[in-house]
């Protein structure tokens, strides 16, 4: 997972703020990795437009539940993300499941 604002700005600017790229080790760690990204990178990234950061802060203030890890796991699996089948740490996209879900014939 990579900060889309750093990607647009180029490789040099993404190195100025930590964690512009996050690599969760498994689907069950996805929620925690995104939370770390939000606090470590997103809130400090100079490439994020002010209005986007303001939207994030408003949503964060309006919902104090802090998310639901089980929801993140089931949603990721439903969208075609899965743990690497060979026992390697990391998440991959099950392309067949993804195609069926969104109706694409090929990438």
């Amino acid at each position: 997972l990579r900060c889309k604002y750093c990607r647009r700005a180029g490789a040099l600017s993404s190195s100025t703020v930590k964690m512009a790229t996050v690599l969760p080790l498994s689907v069950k760690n996805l929620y925690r990795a995104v939370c770390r990204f939000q606090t470590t990178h997103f809130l400090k990234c100079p490439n994020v437009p002010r209005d986007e950061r303001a939207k994030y802060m408003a949503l964060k203030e309006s919902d104090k539940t802090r998310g639901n890890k089980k929801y993140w796991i089931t949603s990721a699996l439903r969208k075609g993300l899965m743990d690497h089948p060979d026992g390697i740490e990391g998440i991959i996209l099950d392309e067949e499941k993804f195609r069926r879900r969104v109706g694409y014939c090929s990438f």
Side-chain angles (χ1 to χ4, degrees):
L1 306 171
R2 183 176 180 188
C3 176
K4 71 179 187 177
Y5 303 107
C6 285
R7 181 185 57 82
R8 289 181 188 153
L12 292 177
S13 67
S14 67
S15 64
T16 61
V17 180
K18 288 199 256 181
M19 291 188 70
T21 302
V22 179
L23 303 170
L25 299 178
S26 67
V27 171
K28 72 178 185 175
N29 293 330
L30 183 61
Y31 172 76
R32 196 80 225 119
V34 171
C35 289
R36 279 193 316 272
F37 167 80
Q38 289 170 333
T39 58
T40 305
H41 182 80
F42 186 80
L43 294 176
K44 299 171 186 168
C45 180
N47 300 312
V48 175
R50 290 178 195 211
D51 62 323
E52 290 296 318
R53 191 171 288 124
K55 285 181 205 175
Y56 168 78
M57 295 306 291
L59 288 169
K60 186 175 177 176
E61 288 300 314
S62 69
D63 181 9
K64 298 291 186 182
T65 62
R66 297 188 54 179
N68 179 318
K69 187 175 179 179
K70 184 177 179 182
Y71 170 80
W72 278 73
I73 293 169
T74 56
S75 295
L77 294 172
R78 199 175 315 124
K79 291 177 187 277
L81 296 176
M82 60 186 257
D83 291 341
H84 198 285
D86 296 333
I88 300 169
E89 291 182 333
I91 298 173
I92 63 170
L93 177 65
D94 179 337
E95 294 179 20
E96 188 61 36
K97 189 173 189 177
F98 179 78
R99 282 189 205 112
R100 283 193 311 268
R101 177 162 172 74
V102 297
Y104 288 110
C105 295
S106 64
F107 279 95

